[in-house]
Every structure is written in structure tokens, then in C-alpha cells.
Amino acid sequence: MDLPCPEWVLYVEQKWTELKTEGTERFCRLTDIDAIFNYGLSLIRPEDLNAFSRLSEKYSVQKSPERAPEFRQQGNLSFKVKDYTSAALYYSKGVCHADKNREEISLCYANRSAALFYHGLYRECLEDIRRALEAGYPSHLQDKLRARQTACLSQLKKPEKSNQTTTNNQTPPCQKIRNTRSCISPGVSVYFSPEKGRHILATENKTAGEVILEDEAFCCVLIPGKTFNTENRHCHHCLSQSLSFVPCPNCSYVRYCGESCQKDAWQSWHRWECHIGADLLAIGVLGHLALRVALKAGQNEVKRVKKSTSEEDHVTCSSYKSDLPVKLSLGDPCGGISDCYHGNTYMSIYSLLPHVAQHSPSSRFLLAITMAMLYRRLQGGPPPDMWASCENKGVSGTWEPEMSVLGATALRHMMQLRCNAQAVTAVMVKEESSMAVQSSSEIRIATAIFPVLSLLNHSCSPNTNISFTTGFQTDPLNQFVCSEDNDDHPKNSHSCVKATIRASKDLTPGQEILHCYGPHCSRMEVKERRRLLLEQYYFHCNCRACQRDLLEGSQKATENAAPGLKCVKCGKPLQSHMDGYKCSWPSCGHQITSADVQNTLKALQSLLDKAFHLMEQHRLDEALKILKSASSQANSMLTEIHPLQGELADVTARVYATAGEWSLASSSLKRSIVAIQVQFGEDSIELGRQLFKLAQLHFNGGDCGAALSVIPRAHKLLSLHCGPHCEELQELCEMERCLQGLL
């Protein structure tokens, strides 16, 4: 949830309407963010605090020790049916709710160690055994724990099979920006022009797949999910996936992949966030992230940045006499805050435009009241260390009036995040033992802000793609070194969320490096893209893709084309005609209304959804019967490139694969690939993942030649979009090695 909960939005809207005309006019005249925040703070009344408390109660993060045994029992039920993933997740929920001084937490750790053992996670199993024993696991049950411990050690003595992928195209090293955790490739530089502001250009030829830049998130916040979603599967500090979390000692929501992340998060921000955890869930991810950025920066850094920069919300261009781009170097003198390059530093975050004037008055009011409320709630605990004094005045541990700068700074970041927040994604693999072919999808797991990545401008058809690395890592290119000792990770590693930007197309010198902000030409019509970009990012998109689509749209309107639709009588393409469609073949002349077309598409989608549900219940014959009926209906009205044809063929392939009918599954998936290629493009990640599934089908069916013919293209696309270390790519390499060994 990015924005505050709907109940709070309605409450603030009511407060806005109740303001007298004098009050609204005064607020609308405010442009200084400090003044906007202080005005919002002055409006917070005791009844507002009470109303917000009632709203946040439903997001309670308090521990419920009485629920821990219930979660453990649910874990036991999953364990009995050998669903070890669900078992581990239930045991983790028990760990998060259990009292740290009671026996129950040791029982949850011990049971989870068993699930981890059967998952083959032997190191994690040993850690849970240690935790269970340290938490006072009953002595009369310890024998089986010791036996499991011995079995783990025995397994770990066996040689591990390397999963390293090999590639003939090694990525050239990046150049680390001094004193930062960002890395920009040679032949790529930051520029400024009055028209585009700061942007990034290629200064040398770059080949598709080459790393353009790597940037470490300044801060990130995990997105809350449902049941066993992101919050239960990812560390709340480094975002790495895990099944063996350790909890926050004081709340039930936050969990970590190990003691190192637990310690780091507590020192960095969680000790101040913990007591307002429910409030943070109520105000949404963007408000939470804005506060976290301000907490991390600290009072001294904010004061230094504010002192050294202008408070203007627009780019200062007076020192630039030409419209030509000017190359920027880290730390060079500049004319204003927003025409300098600051690398991966807090200055880079602060210098991003908050677009105060572009936010509507009611939107600014919502943000101001929300951040003022959060600041009031934060005052219920001790002030953060990095904000605890104002030039050594006041009593340590007390909130001084000057500390309101914390709230104002967080408000600035909340305004910036509307245009600069970056979704962090991960590939989620559906874990079903009965599924012979992997089913995966890309999901959003967190929202972050990246200092250098934020400089990239948008294109609806970008020339880059982005992938993310999470967890504790040691980067051989950047040589990042952690200054603190960690108990469960190497000393030269640190927790981070890193974005890697690769060229998706060959680039030439002078070409701008472009990133997609969300609306992509392969997934959305041009009018909808431009509307969304104007609404959220405040600009009219005039990228090449939009220009092309607008031109083609006008041509299609002239030609009355209706892509993907065909006449049910003669099979010729349909054309738009008044409020419906007409056959393009004059001798036929068949017509159909738009409403009839939409109703048919909805009916087909309903059949597809029903078949998918039956497939998940392993009722394969019923699913296949429905899919055949739906495909027959679709073939009479839709061409092979229509997206719905691709979806029908994909699900049909999955049903055949589950039944072990590899040849039929391959044939169906090939039909899906035709539609996917037209919809998303020949170089798309969507096509890469479909080809990966096709390689799996050929492999499982024993068709060595067909599998080896598909693997190179799938390998190329997955490398291009995901880098050399993604799990799918590793599996492809393993398949290829196995098949070549059989030839």
C-alpha cells in the first residue's frame, strides 16, 4: 500500500473541507516545505490523534503469545503432508508472536529446523537448532535435535555442486564513484541541459547486455502482503528471501534473515519505528520510506545540505548559456541544487525535485497532515539519536521544538517519492511438486529510492532493463566493505539492495540512457500511458514510442484497422466501423457491435480463469475440456496474435505438462510464443521466460535436439534482462550440460 489507508484519506479530506476559506487560502499560498509542514502540525488536534489511533488499531503489530501455539500446530499439519515451505512459514509466524522468554519460541525454532532440513537448507537448520537450544528447548526432547544436528553436519561435508554459470560475454567492470556505493560504466556520463535537467548519456558504444550502472538503494521499505506474501518471505532489512527468520523482540510484524540484519536495522531505524509500526502500515509505504530516509540522513547532514543549497524547487540554469548538454563530474561547482551531480549520497536524494506546485492543494494538505500526524506519534518515544540535539541545546532524550525539521524533511521526501520511488521486483516461483514445468512471475516486493538511478529519464520503449540484487553481498567489481563486524556474514559484506541497469539495445555515443517508469508501449495503449505519466510524473511524454504509436494510431483510424479480430463468417480481418466492427472483405460485409466483442472476450476470459482454477485443483480432464471449448470459440473470432490466444495456449500447455504430455504441451506453448512475441517484442523478458519453459518441456520430453535449439535464444534473453546469475539461467546451463553429455 503506497498511500495512506482509505479511511485516513477520507478523514483528511473532511478536515480540508472544514477549513475556513481564510485557512485554505493561506495554505494554498505556502510554497516552502518547512512552512507547509508547520502549518499542518498546527492543525493537529487531540481528536485527530484519537481518530488516527482508532484507524491504526486494525494494523496492530503487537505480539500475541497465545497465537504462537496455533501457528505451530498449523505448521505441523503442513509438515505432515510434506509441504515444508508452508510449514516453515507457519513456524516463523509462531516465532514472531512467541514470548522470547517462554518455551514456545524454542518449540517453534526446533520444528522449523525440521522443515528446513527436509528442504535441504542444512546451514539454516543448524542455526535454528542453535536458537532452539539457546531459548531453552526442553531437555527431554533434545536428543532428536542433536541427531538432526549431526545429520546436517554430515550433509555439509559432502562436496557442493557448483551453480556458477559460464558466459562468453564478460561484462566489463564499472568504475566506482569515489566514496560512494554506485558504479557507472566507462563510456557513460551524467549531463545537464536546461531542457532535460540531469540525465545520463553514452559517450562510447555499448552493446546490448552490457552493464551501464549499478546503484545501491539509499533506503527501501518492504511492501506488506497477504498470508504468505512479501512480508513473510523477505527480510525486512536487506529484502533477501528466507525461510528461517529471526523476529523483532518487541513486535510481531518485522522479521530478519539473521541476527546481523536484526542488529543493523535496530541501530539504523527500527528502534524508533517499532512503537509506531501500526501507524506506519496505516500511512503507507511512501510515508514510511520518507521517514526512513530522514532518519538515516540525520539532523547534521540535513542542516549541512540545506545550508549549502538553494531552497528553490526548480533548476537554476543561469550559468548555462547554451542548450547543449554539459557534462557533470562528481563534486564540480554548479549553479544550483538540481543541476549538480552528487553521486550516491544524501545530497543526491535531497536535490531531487519535490514538485510542490504540481501537487494539488488537497494533495499537499493530505501529505502535510499525514506527516505531521506521524511526527506526533513518533514523539511518543525517545528522539532518534541523530536528531536528539540541536546544537547541543536542550536535554538529551527530550523532543525540542527545533526537531520539527525531521518532520519537514520527511515531508519533502514524501513529495519527491511521487516521481522518484522505484519498485523493487523479484521473480516468484510457484512451488508445486506436481508442476513439471516451472511457473514464475515477477512481483513487486519493496519500494526504494536510488540516488543515481533517479537521474534516468523515461521512455515508453526504453533502451535499458533493470534487475535487483538483495541481501548480504560482496561485490567483486565495487569492492564494497562493511565497517562493522557481522555474526552471520563475512566481514567484507554488507546488506544492501542494488539495482543493475543493462543496455537492452546497442547504444551509440551521444545516445541518452532511458528507463521505463512503468507505462510500457508493449503493455499499454499510448493514450493511457501518456495520461498516467502526466498524472503521476507531471510531463507530457513525447518519446519515440509515443510519437510512433500516435502516428500509427491515426493511420489505423484512417484504415479502420482492428488488430487481432477477424470475421466469424469468412475469417478476414475486421475493421472499425461506427460503434462496432465490419468485415474488411466487401463481399462479406458482416458486422458486429463493440458490446458483442467485449462480451465474447469477457466470456472467454471467464472460461480461462475457470480452467486455470481446475488445473490448480489437479482436475486436468475438466480443465482441458473447458480450454478446448474456449480455444474453439477464440479461433472463430481472434487471430493467433491476440493476447487472449496466447494466454489460452499457455494454460493449455501447463495442463498437458502436468499430465506428462510433453509433445502436446510443447505445441501449445509454441502457439503462446507467437502471441507473446508480437505483444512484447522479440527482445522481451516475457519471450525469454516462455522460451525457458519451452526448453523445459523439450528436456522433460527427452527431445534433446529441440531443447538445444531453444536454449541459446532463451539464454540470450535471460542474460540480457536478468544478468548472468539468475536462477532460470543457471537451470538452462545445467540442462545444456546434461543434454550435451547425452549426445
Side-chain angles (χ1 to χ4, degrees):
M1 184 175 65
D2 285 343
L3 298 175
C5 65
E7 298 89 343
W8 178 246
V9 173
L10 290 173
Y11 184 88
V12 177
E13 286 177 353
Q14 183 63 30
K15 194 173 180 69
W16 172 250
T17 60
E18 291 173 355
L19 272 182
K20 295 181 180 178
T21 303
E22 179 184 346
T24 56
E25 290 179 351
R26 178 188 170 192
F27 182 82
C28 290
R29 288 194 297 269
L30 298 176
T31 57
D32 178 77
I33 294 177
D34 287 13
I36 293 171
F37 174 77
N38 288 323
Y39 186 81
L41 195 61
S42 70
L43 295 178
I44 300 296
R45 301 285 183 263
E47 55 268 28
D48 300 323
L49 289 164
N50 292 334
F52 187 72
S53 295
R54 290 192 297 272
L55 290 176
S56 64
E57 282 178 357
K58 70 177 184 177
Y59 300 96
S60 175
V61 297
Q62 291 183 348
K63 289 183 181 292
S64 302
E66 69 280 359
R67 299 191 65 192
E70 298 173 9
F71 288 125
R72 181 163 55 85
Q73 290 302 321
Q74 287 179 291
N76 291 343
L77 293 174
S78 295
F79 189 90
K80 286 179 180 178
V81 296
K82 299 183 179 181
D83 185 356
Y84 301 122
T85 297
S86 293
L89 291 169
Y90 276 122
Y91 294 140
S92 291
K93 288 179 79 70
V95 165
C96 289
H97 279 279
D99 190 316
K100 62 182 178 181
N101 298 316
R102 299 291 180 89
E103 183 182 274
E104 181 60 38
I105 194 169
S106 72
L107 298 175
C108 290
Y109 276 133
N111 286 16
R112 192 173 69 183
S113 74
L116 296 173
F117 180 85
Y118 285 103
H119 243 303
L121 301 172
Y122 303 117
R123 287 188 173 84
E124 291 83 349
C125 177
L126 287 173
E127 284 295 302
D128 265 6
I129 291 172
R130 173 186 62 79
R131 291 167 185 143
L133 293 172
E134 289 177 354
Y137 191 65
S139 57
H140 67 281
L141 298 175
Q142 289 186 11
D143 286 348
K144 61 181 181 181
L145 266 192
R146 300 293 184 188
R148 190 175 301 141
Q149 186 179 47
T150 301
C152 282
L153 293 172
S154 176
Q155 289 290 338
L156 289 172
K157 288 179 181 177
K158 297 179 181 179
E160 293 185 16
K161 184 165 65 173
S162 173
N163 285 326
Q164 293 295 321
T165 58
T166 57
T167 175
N168 295 325
N169 300 317
Q170 295 295 325
T171 300
C174 292
Q175 292 179 337
K176 183 183 173 187
I177 303 169
R178 65 181 183 271
N179 301 322
T180 75
R181 285 178 168 175
S182 285
C183 168
I184 291 184
S185 167
V188 175
S189 296
V190 180
Y191 283 77
F192 173 85
S193 71
E195 177 189 3
K196 293 186 175 181
R198 291 171 295 180
H199 56 285
I200 300 179
L201 300 179
T203 56
E204 298 175 1
N205 289 322
K206 294 291 176 183
T207 58
E210 191 171 342
V211 172
I212 300 297
L213 69 88
E214 293 175 339
D215 195 16
E216 187 173 320
F218 189 83
C219 281
C220 63
V221 170
L222 194 69
I223 296 173
K226 297 179 180 179
T227 316
F228 289 146
N229 210 315
T230 52
E231 69 188 59
N232 298 290
R233 294 175 180 264
H234 293 266
C235 175
H236 287 225
H237 185 55
C238 71
L239 304 186
S240 62
Q241 281 190 281
S242 178
L243 290 175
S244 55
F245 293 106
V246 295
C248 167
N250 304 307
C251 71
S252 65
Y253 176 69
V254 176
R255 59 206 69 186
Y256 306 102
C257 60
E259 282 79 0
S260 292
C261 273
Q262 183 192 51
K263 178 182 176 182
D264 289 350
W266 183 258
Q267 293 295 328
S268 300
W269 42 65
H270 190 59
R271 55 178 161 167
W272 301 292
E273 294 180 353
C274 189
H275 76 280
I276 57 168
D279 302 330
L280 292 170
L281 290 173
I283 69 157
V285 170
L286 293 186
H288 189 173
L289 180 56
L291 175 65
R292 189 168 283 186
V293 172
L295 286 172
K296 179 177 179 179
Q299 180 180 214
N300 291 338
E301 180 66 6
V302 170
K303 289 173 68 177
R304 185 189 69 80
V305 168
K306 291 184 72 171
K307 185 177 181 180
S308 63
T309 58
S310 166
E311 285 297 296
E312 297 178 8
D313 288 331
H314 59 274
V315 177
T316 304
C317 305
S318 57
S319 59
Y320 298 95
K321 306 301 182 184
S322 170
D323 290 336
L324 295 176
V326 176
K327 185 177 180 180
L328 302 178
S329 297
L330 187 65
D332 280 355
C334 49
I337 181 175
S338 297
D339 54 6
C340 303
Y341 176 45
H342 310 288
N344 187 304
T345 64
Y346 177 67
M347 178 75 85
S348 287
I349 302 296
Y350 192 88
S351 67
L352 297 170
L353 297 177
H355 296 287
V356 176
Q358 280 72 32
H359 286 81
S360 67
S362 59
S363 174
R364 292 200 301 270
F365 188 76
L366 171 63
L367 300 183
I369 293 296
T370 298
M371 200 50 69
M373 176 60 69
L374 190 59
Y375 179 72
R376 287 287 193 219
R377 301 288 287 182
L378 197 62
Q379 288 179 308
D385 289 355
M386 295 179 71
W387 289 87
S389 64
C390 292
E391 298 178 357
N392 298 319
K393 293 189 290 187
V395 180
S396 177
T398 62
W399 288 83
E400 299 294 328
E402 295 89 344
M403 293 182 192
S404 64
V405 175
L406 168 61
T409 303
L411 176 59
R412 177 186 182 90
H413 297 319
M414 198 171 182
M415 290 183 169
Q416 291 170 324
L417 287 170
R418 180 182 178 96
C419 295
N420 293 285
Q422 171 66 49
V424 178
T425 59
V427 175
M428 183 180 71
V429 178
K430 191 162 187 178
E431 298 171 355
E432 283 191 31
S433 57
S434 61
M435 295 297 290
V437 175
Q438 175 179 301
S439 174
S440 63
S441 59
E442 193 171 60
I443 61 167
R444 181 180 168 196
I445 62 170
T447 300
I449 185 163
F450 293 87
V452 181
L453 177 59
S454 296
L455 300 181
L456 293 179
N457 283 328
H458 168 81
S459 170
C460 296
S461 180
N463 51 24
T464 62
N465 50 61
I466 184 170
S467 60
F468 299 95
T469 309
T470 62
F472 273 78
Q473 52 197 282
T474 303
D475 194 317
L477 300 180
N478 294 348
Q479 295 297 315
F480 293 158
V481 177
C482 185
S483 61
E484 297 185 78
D485 290 337
N486 293 310
D487 298 327
D488 46 356
H489 296 284
K491 290 185 178 181
N492 62 340
S493 68
H494 72 291
S495 66
C496 71
V497 177
K498 184 175 70 177
T500 300
I501 308 297
R502 292 180 174 82
S504 60
K505 305 170 184 175
D506 291 341
L507 303 174
T508 56
Q511 192 169 352
E512 185 174 0
I513 311 298
L514 298 167
H515 171 48
C516 180
Y517 290 179
H520 195 285
C521 63
S522 68
R523 301 174 183 87
M524 197 177 294
E525 293 293 332
V526 60
K527 289 183 179 179
E528 182 67 5
R529 296 198 312 263
R530 301 186 91 208
R531 182 189 69 79
L532 290 173
L533 289 165
L534 179 61
E535 184 179 285
Q536 180 169 350
Y537 297 97
Y538 310 119
F539 69 88
H540 292 276
C541 186
N542 199 33
C543 69
R544 290 185 178 181
C546 283
Q547 294 180 38
R548 179 200 66 209
D549 290 353
L550 288 170
L551 178 61
E552 289 182 358
S554 62
Q555 291 175 344
K556 287 176 182 177
T558 302
E559 299 167 1
N560 297 321
L565 300 179
K566 64 182 182 181
C567 178
V568 295
K569 290 189 175 295
C570 67
K572 300 292 184 182
L574 290 182
Q575 291 181 336
S576 299
H577 177 70
M578 298 178 66
D579 63 342
Y581 302 92
K582 183 174 74 171
C583 181
S584 58
W585 193 28
S587 300
C588 177
H590 176 69
Q591 296 186 23
I592 186 172
T593 66
S594 296
D596 286 340
V597 170
Q598 291 304 314
N599 288 336
T600 301
L601 293 176
K602 286 180 181 179
L604 289 172
Q605 186 65 53
S606 178
L607 289 173
L608 177 62
D609 294 341
K610 186 176 181 180
F612 186 84
H613 182 65
L614 290 169
M615 179 191 70
E616 289 190 317
Q617 295 179 320
H618 308 296
R619 295 159 64 181
L620 303 182
D621 290 340
E622 296 173 68
L624 198 56
K625 183 178 180 180
I626 290 175
L627 286 168
K628 287 181 177 179
S629 173
S631 296
S632 176
Q633 295 176 50
N635 290 337
S636 67
M637 182 178 177
L638 306 178
T639 66
E640 64 177 3
I641 66 171
H642 194 281
L644 193 54
Q645 287 277 39
E647 293 180 48
L648 283 166
D650 182 78
V651 175
T652 302
R654 291 176 62 181
V655 172
Y656 278 131
T658 305
E661 298 284 353
W662 308 114
S663 179
L664 292 172
S666 300
S667 298
S668 296
L669 194 64
K670 287 176 183 177
R671 293 199 302 274
S672 172
I673 287 172
V674 171
I676 291 290
Q677 185 166 303
V678 171
Q679 183 181 1
F680 296 106
E682 294 184 355
D683 295 325
S684 64
I685 182 60
E686 290 84 0
L687 179 59
R689 291 203 169 112
Q690 290 296 94
L691 290 170
F692 169 70
K693 290 197 289 187
L694 183 59
Q696 284 184 309
L697 290 174
H698 288 317
F699 180 86
N700 291 337
D703 192 340
C704 299
L708 287 171
S709 69
V710 172
I711 286 175
R713 191 178 178 197
H715 189 288
K716 176 186 175 182
L717 292 177
L718 291 174
S719 299
L720 182 66
H721 291 277
C722 307
H725 304 298
C726 75
E727 291 184 12
E728 292 162 314
L729 200 57
Q730 291 178 14
E731 185 173 337
L732 269 183
C733 291
E734 189 65 31
M735 274 195 282
E736 189 171 34
R737 282 192 291 268
C738 180
L739 291 169
Q740 288 174 343
L742 295 175
L743 295 179

